Amino acid sequence: MDPKQFIEEAVAEIKKEVGDKQVLGAVSGGIDSTVAAILTYRAIHGQLSLVFLDDGLMRDRDRKDVENIFSSLSIPVEIKGVSERFFQELKGAIHHDEKRKVFQKVFYETLGEIAKTKGASLLLHGTILTDVEEVERGIKRQHNPNIDPKEFGFQGKLEPLITLRKDGVREVAKALGLREDFIYRKPFPGPGFLVRMLGELTPEKAEILRKASPIVEGVFKFLKPFQVFPVIIGQATGIRNDKPFYGYVLGVRCVKSIDARTAQTVEADWNTLNTINSCILREIPEVIQVCYCLTDKPPATIEFE
Ligand code: XMP
């Protein structure tokens, strides 16, 4: 694939497909939604509205990446604070299937409502060929290919990257002039902390994961993992300041993998494990115990929910 030619053809195709309609796209800070948004903006400028749904389940860096990249390209993105709505709707949901189902419904209902205010009838998705294949094979349980935009008030969807795999998207991103560190960003799941939090979702648990994510990513960076992240496993009794304390148990998952179909736990050395233990306990007083997750995929999955 010649990325410059792909960009030219994609821009022409988007123009043709959109005509005089309005389009709404949600950007997440990931490379696929970012590249899809930039190509679409090149094609139709003001007919595209972009939003970042700040649902309370993303890391700080996801929002920062969105703000930095799009402001450097002078492409407007609205940040929509919708976390209260998400936590409210997810209240009481414990089972992982239910949590994912409610999340998906609230996410697309929110987009449908925003689309109405913009007069947008098309939903922009950064779906790539790998997503379609992974959903078919059951590797990814929740992804764009599962969404019927008509259920949420749209006439249809626009998927300019549907013929590409990740390496193709990276080439296009390079040709668009995006930063190298962004292009090789590690995957972060769409439902964010939802898949890294056992039991009910609460703002307190999300805040712990928001604080723990950069710590864990920083300490394990030198091991060049495929993914490394914290996960809230549960709660346990402990002792803080000589008093009984009921705190959170934080798991650290660090895996190597080629394509996420299988994954192997990174054999971290004791010094690294001690460092992560003491950093987490020092920086996040709500956590009383840190565990390192040992199990490969299969039989485990990479994420927890
Ligand atoms: P699992 O947990 O199934 O994850 O071993 C395989 C890869 O997919 C990512 N993942 C998701 N990505 N939406 C996404 O966009 C999701 O619902 C989702 N679930 C898992 C996971 O981070 C890993 O890279």
Side-chain angles (χ1 to χ4, degrees):
M1 181 206 47
D2 172 356
K4 291 228 164 85
Q5 192 185 342
F6 176 88
I7 293 170
E8 262 177 42
E9 287 172 6
V11 167
E13 185 56 38
I14 294 166
K15 269 188 193 153
K16 206 169 91 191
E17 217 175 313
V18 172
D20 59 2
K21 295 191 189 93
Q22 295 285 324
V23 180
L24 178 72
V27 285
S28 64
I31 180 169
D32 302 340
S33 64
T34 302
V35 169
I38 296 171
L39 290 178
T40 307
Y41 188 78
R42 278 203 181 180
I44 59 168
H45 302 278
Q47 284 167 263
L48 172 67
S49 305
L50 292 174
V51 291
F52 172 83
L53 293 190
D54 196 351
D55 56 16
L57 299 169
M58 306 294 274
R59 299 166 302 180
D60 287 337
R61 62 176 289 192
D62 298 306
R63 177 183 172 151
K64 279 187 197 137
D65 277 353
V66 166
E67 287 172 339
N68 291 341
I69 287 169
F70 287 94
S71 72
S72 75
L73 295 166
S74 305
I75 301 177
V77 176
E78 273 179 67
I79 309 285
K80 298 272 189 191
V82 288
S83 60
E84 258 179 49
R85 176 175 182 171
F86 274 75
F87 283 113
Q88 191 57 39
E89 299 249 10
L90 281 155
K91 219 176 181 165
I94 307 283
H95 192 272
H96 59 102
D97 280 339
E98 191 192 356
K99 281 155 87 172
R100 278 176 173 266
K101 220 160 88 191
V102 175
F103 175 86
Q104 185 158 311
K105 180 175 151 282
V106 181
F107 192 90
Y108 286 98
E109 273 176 7
T110 306
L111 285 184
E113 286 162 22
I114 297 171
K116 241 187 210 163
T117 68
K118 311 273 182 200
S121 57
L122 292 179
L123 178 63
L124 172 66
H125 263 170
T127 322
I128 63 174
L129 188 55
T130 324
D131 297 331
V132 180
E133 290 169 348
E134 287 182 347
V135 166
E136 277 167 7
R137 287 201 212 110
I139 296 170
K140 271 189 190 160
R141 286 156 289 172
Q142 182 184 338
H143 218 288
N144 299 342
N146 289 335
I147 307 299
D148 177 5
K150 294 198 175 117
E151 262 182 50
F152 302 97
F154 294 91
Q155 282 171 19
K157 54 185 167 181
L158 188 66
E159 296 181 307
L161 307 181
I162 195 85
T163 57
L164 298 183
R165 293 180 195 281
K166 203 58 146 196
D167 52 345
V169 182
R170 290 197 171 116
E171 278 184 55
V172 173
K174 238 181 242 172
L176 290 169
L178 295 182
R179 277 189 346 245
E180 192 89 348
D181 61 330
F182 177 74
I183 292 173
Y184 291 97
R185 195 179 197 267
K186 307 225 175 296
F188 184 71
F193 296 147
L194 180 141
V195 293
R196 299 178 176 176
M197 202 189 285
L198 298 186
E200 191 178 22
L201 275 95
T202 66
E204 187 186 35
K205 287 182 183 170
E207 193 50 34
I208 291 170
L209 292 178
R210 209 175 340 274
K211 283 190 199 151
S213 294
I215 300 174
V216 169
E217 287 168 17
V219 169
F220 284 83
K221 191 174 177 191
F222 79 101
L223 290 165
K224 299 190 171 54
F226 176 75
Q227 273 174 300
V228 59
F229 55 84
V231 48
I232 294 202
I233 293 175
Q235 284 184 277
T237 47
I239 305 152
R240 263 211 197 278
N241 304 321
D242 289 331
K243 289 200 185 92
F245 179 82
Y246 194 56
Y248 288 96
V249 180
L250 195 86
V252 176
R253 182 99 168 112
C254 182
V255 295
K256 46 189 179 175
S257 175
I258 305 286
D259 55 10
R261 280 202 264 175
T262 62
Q264 297 75 45
T265 301
V266 169
E267 291 177 29
D269 61 281
W270 194 246
N271 189 33
T272 306
L273 295 174
N274 261 332
T275 304
I276 197 64
N277 181 49
S278 48
C279 284
I280 296 279
L281 293 177
R282 190 179 59 236
E283 303 292 328
I284 314 176
E286 296 86 353
V287 175
I288 199 68
Q289 192 169 151
V290 179
C291 301
Y292 190 60
C293 306
L294 296 178
T295 310
D296 292 348
K297 173 182 181 177
T301 51
I302 295 178
E303 307 288 350
F304 273 61
E305 290 279 50

